[in-house]
Amino acid sequence: MLHFERSEFDKRLADTRKLMQRDGLDALIVFAQESHFYLTGFDTKGFVFFQCAVVTADDAPVTLLTRRPDLEQARRTSIIEDIRLWYDAPGVDPTSELQEILTEKGLKGARVGVELRSFGLTGDNHELLRQRFTDWCTLVDASYLVRELRLIKSEAEIAYVRQAAELADQSLEAMVAASGPGVFEGRIAAAGIAPILEGGGDMPPSGPVLGSGDRALLVRSASGYRHLDEEDQLTIEHAGSYRHYCACLMRTLTIGEAGAAHRDMFSATRDAMAAMTDAARVGNTIGQIDDAHRATFDAAGYNAARMSACGYSLGATYAPSWMDVPPMIHSGNDMPIRAGMILFLHAILIDGPRNLAMSAGYTILTRESGAPEVLSRLPLELISR
């Protein structure tokens, strides 16, 4: 069930160990499910329980500590051969089994990295970890070590992102076709999911973010689908997902004929997207993308309606979010843009006093020279239904 050649996993582990040696780490405790998938192929939603892999700075095999329900999952989706189990029981503390693994590997007194920024390590489990290993070894925050590698995509990963981008296009086309006066929002959302699943993709890790009327101003999802009015606005933000790699799109549609305000807001949004895309070149910084976003909207008089960030990195992610951060695209972020980054650019205007919304967004691939490649084939135009 591996989605990459074994050689790709071997390279990722070798590159991880180089960074561990750079940072003076003897071992890395992997909690982020995205890191599990990237380094070994391990594909599960079991990260909601205590689950981790131990990667040492030498070439010793990776050891996974998980629950019994994930035993076959690990055997059949990953390259991991050394799988240890902990069992549910009243008052159970799986860090005891983890300590046995670290002891076997001679890591008492060692410098051990931990992925703290992860949905796979809850606060209560971190407290168990801290209590267990304080004075036993030195725990170091290594949340960004594997993320640093995942930021630049291989050709095999880019191929999956392209598949995800095509599924996102098909999904948007289906949702636009399903939209119109009187249509139930839930029907529109359902129409968007079908092309992704029928096209061999995965359920996206979140979304779609979809709302009309007042709800069109919400940048997050909220429960309570409604029927569209004869004259309305509909904001859609969604991801196509293929082998967990995500590509996002965003649009605000008008239901009925677009008014002057919506047309003006769209014009500014389109200009902002063009400026942001042009700024996303190797040699610039991530922050310069947002500088272009801010300058365009501010010049058009929308400084009070724009956001303070305009996108983020994408990759292979799990619930609850398709955002694969860092980096967030915000002014002052001095991370250099490098070839092979997958970034979601979005330009959002939320005019609360007038109850108006307008947005656009698409996924790009940065290149060695020139402007990035936009991974959507759909034109950036004002859509009215």
Side-chain angles (χ1 to χ4, degrees):
M1 298 184 188
L2 295 178
H3 300 305
F4 297 96
E5 297 293 332
R6 177 61 189 253
S7 59
E8 182 135 353
F9 290 117
D10 290 342
K11 182 179 185 306
R12 293 171 184 179
L13 282 167
D15 290 343
T16 297
R17 288 177 165 124
K18 288 178 183 177
L19 293 187
M20 291 167 60
Q21 292 163 11
R22 177 199 68 184
D23 295 345
L25 298 178
D26 300 300
L28 174 67
I29 304 177
V30 174
F31 280 97
Q33 178 54 38
E34 291 79 7
S35 296
H36 284 291
F37 184 71
Y38 179 78
L39 294 175
T40 71
F42 184 32
D43 188 359
T44 180
K45 293 183 179 179
F47 63 90
V48 297
F49 300 97
F50 189 97
Q51 177 174 265
C52 61
V54 178
V55 181
T56 56
D58 57 24
D59 292 330
V62 175
T63 300
L64 175 69
L65 176 61
T66 188
R67 295 169 67 244
R68 178 62 179 81
D70 269 304
L71 175 59
E72 294 303 325
Q73 197 90 4
R75 282 177 173 169
R76 298 169 190 270
T77 68
S78 81
I79 62 171
I80 303 171
E81 297 181 357
D82 185 6
I83 304 169
R84 314 290 180 90
L85 302 177
W86 66 271
Y87 292 88
D88 298 286
V92 66
D93 179 357
T95 63
S96 175
E97 283 82 355
L98 177 59
Q99 188 176 40
E100 291 178 7
I101 293 170
L102 297 186
T103 299
E104 283 180 26
K105 294 179 180 291
L107 292 170
K108 183 173 184 180
R111 183 176 164 87
V112 179
V114 182
E115 291 184 321
L116 298 180
R117 186 186 174 98
S118 164
F119 297 114
L121 180 59
T122 57
D124 57 340
N125 281 333
H126 175 251
E127 182 62 16
L128 291 176
L129 201 71
R130 189 191 63 78
Q131 291 179 5
R132 174 74 58 181
F133 292 107
T134 295
D135 300 328
W136 192 90
C137 67
T138 301
L139 296 180
V140 179
D141 183 3
S143 300
Y144 302 114
L145 191 146
V146 179
R147 284 179 179 271
E148 181 179 334
L149 296 173
R150 292 177 51 232
L151 185 59
I152 307 301
K153 307 300 188 287
S154 69
E155 289 302 319
E157 291 178 291
I158 291 170
Y160 287 154
V161 176
R162 291 188 187 281
Q163 292 272 53
E166 174 57 31
L167 294 177
D169 281 351
Q170 294 177 22
S171 176
L172 181 59
E173 289 172 326
M175 286 188 280
V176 169
S179 300
V183 177
F184 185 56
E185 289 178 350
R187 180 182 175 187
I188 300 169
I193 292 297
I196 296 173
L197 299 184
E198 291 172 357
D202 312 303
M203 279 296 293
S206 64
V209 178
L210 187 152
S212 60
D214 291 352
R215 289 159 44 87
L217 279 69
L218 304 183
V219 185
R220 311 286 182 223
S221 294
S223 180
Y225 283 144
R226 64 184 288 272
H227 289 82
L228 275 61
D229 295 331
E230 292 296 314
E231 300 285 336
D232 213 329
Q233 56 188 350
L234 174 66
T235 296
I236 298 172
E237 183 182 15
H238 70 291
S241 180
Y242 190 84
R243 304 297 182 261
H244 295 297
Y245 286 85
C246 294
C248 295
L249 287 174
M250 190 173 193
R251 297 288 192 277
T252 297
L253 291 61
T254 65
I255 307 302
E257 185 178 352
H262 271 131
R263 290 196 300 270
D264 188 70
M265 292 172 75
F266 172 76
S267 179
T269 299
R270 179 191 57 206
D271 292 346
M273 288 297 297
M276 292 153 58
T277 304
D278 187 63
R281 298 171 180 262
V282 171
N284 287 347
T285 66
I286 291 292
Q288 286 177 274
I289 302 174
D290 189 40
D291 291 340
H293 160 258
R294 295 177 181 222
T296 305
F297 273 151
D298 292 358
Y302 287 110
N303 58 304
R306 64 164 170 78
M307 302 293 104
S308 59
C310 64
Y312 39 81
S313 176
L314 293 173
T317 52
Y318 288 72
S321 179
W322 62 55
M323 298 171 63
D324 195 16
V325 295
M328 286 288 295
I329 304 175
H330 57 77
S331 186
N333 188 335
D334 60 1
M335 175 183 285
I337 296 173
R338 297 163 57 195
M341 290 180 170
I342 301 293
L343 303 175
F344 177 46
L345 308 183
H346 61 61
I348 303 171
L349 292 176
I350 303 297
D351 188 339
R354 294 193 296 171
N355 199 37
L356 296 174
M358 184 52 62
S359 59
Y362 48 57
T363 300
I364 63 169
L365 166 65
T366 59
R367 300 189 279 200
E368 287 289 353
S369 61
E373 177 185 355
V374 177
L375 297 180
S376 173
R377 56 176 168 75
L378 302 181
L380 189 55
E381 58 189 9
L382 181 57
I383 303 170
S384 297
R385 294 291 296 170

